[in-house]
Amino acid sequence: KRRLPRRIVRKNRLRNEMREQQREAELQHKAKRAENAQRSRDYQRKLDERRTKKALKKREKELREKRAESRRLEQEQKQRVIRERIDFASRVDQITSDLDRRYGANCFSVKVQVTDYSEDNKPVATDPAVFGRCYFDRHSQNGTETYGEAEERAQILA
């Protein structure tokens, strides 16, 4: 077997070493790229988590504000309903008292008018045209006429 000259052997050895160094450099470069990609993914994931947390906090704050607003509106509505009920009750009381007063006055005036109309012995104190009754067939004096007074009137008229 023949030996290669030293110069060629050295050249081949240097080539092999250079190739080995290139492979190692490529491997290191690939490892660094993979590590950087992993870091980038981790950073992106953390950034997404922060954004998500921030968005959730913002949403929770909005929901709390909406709930507080709805509670405030409910309280206002309840107070408005209570005020309306109180106002309605007071109006009903006022209307019923007005009606009671009116009906009482009406009943009294009707009673007075009925007694004025129906009792012949009472004097005419109201306008005769109110009821359309003719009061000319009776006299309007207090009390009833006695027998003696009737004779006296008949003598005067005769």
Side-chain angles (χ1 to χ4, degrees):
K1 195 174 180 184
R2 202 167 148 204
R3 283 182 124 193
L4 293 171
R6 271 190 202 168
R7 191 180 51 159
I8 294 175
V9 171
R10 211 181 295 152
K11 220 182 200 184
N12 286 341
R13 198 182 312 147
L14 283 174
R15 251 191 238 144
N16 287 341
E17 284 177 8
M18 283 181 67
R19 284 182 190 153
E20 195 65 34
Q21 284 176 356
Q22 280 179 348
R23 279 188 206 129
E24 283 181 24
E26 284 177 13
L27 287 174
Q28 284 178 354
H29 183 68
K30 283 183 182 178
K32 209 164 210 165
R33 278 186 18 204
E35 186 179 324
N36 286 342
Q38 184 63 36
R39 273 194 213 140
S40 178
R41 284 191 296 269
D42 289 345
Y43 177 77
Q44 192 64 37
R45 184 178 46 81
K46 288 179 182 177
L47 189 63
D48 289 343
E49 287 175 359
R50 281 190 215 130
R51 286 180 185 157
T52 304
K53 285 181 183 178
K54 197 172 186 179
L56 286 174
K57 284 182 182 179
K58 185 178 179 183
R59 181 71 178 142
E60 287 175 2
K61 184 179 177 184
E62 290 173 357
L63 287 175
R64 277 195 304 270
E65 289 172 356
K66 285 182 181 178
R67 285 187 199 119
E69 181 71 16
S70 67
R71 277 192 225 111
R72 186 181 62 78
L73 290 175
E74 286 177 5
Q75 289 296 327
E76 287 178 2
Q77 181 68 20
K78 285 179 183 177
Q79 291 172 354
R80 192 177 312 117
V81 166
I82 290 170
R83 279 195 304 266
E84 288 173 358
R85 286 182 181 170
I86 290 171
D87 292 344
F88 180 75
S90 65
R91 275 188 269 140
V92 166
D93 290 343
Q94 183 181 7
I95 289 169
T96 53
S97 65
D98 289 347
L99 288 176
D100 289 345
R101 215 174 312 118
R102 284 186 203 156
Y103 287 138
N106 286 346
C107 289
F108 179 75
S109 66
V110 166
K111 184 177 179 182
V112 167
Q113 290 171 356
V114 164
T115 56
D116 286 349
Y117 181 77
S118 63
E119 294 182 14
D120 291 336
N121 295 332
K122 284 186 100 177
V124 177
T126 59
D127 183 16
V130 170
F131 295 104
R133 180 174 175 183
C134 180
Y135 286 97
F136 296 110
D137 61 345
R138 69 180 182 93
H139 62 289
S140 298
Q141 292 182 6
N142 286 339
T144 57
E145 190 175 6
T146 62
Y147 184 75
E149 292 171 346
E151 283 183 357
E152 183 180 333
R153 185 169 51 89
Q155 285 178 358
I156 293 172
L157 289 174

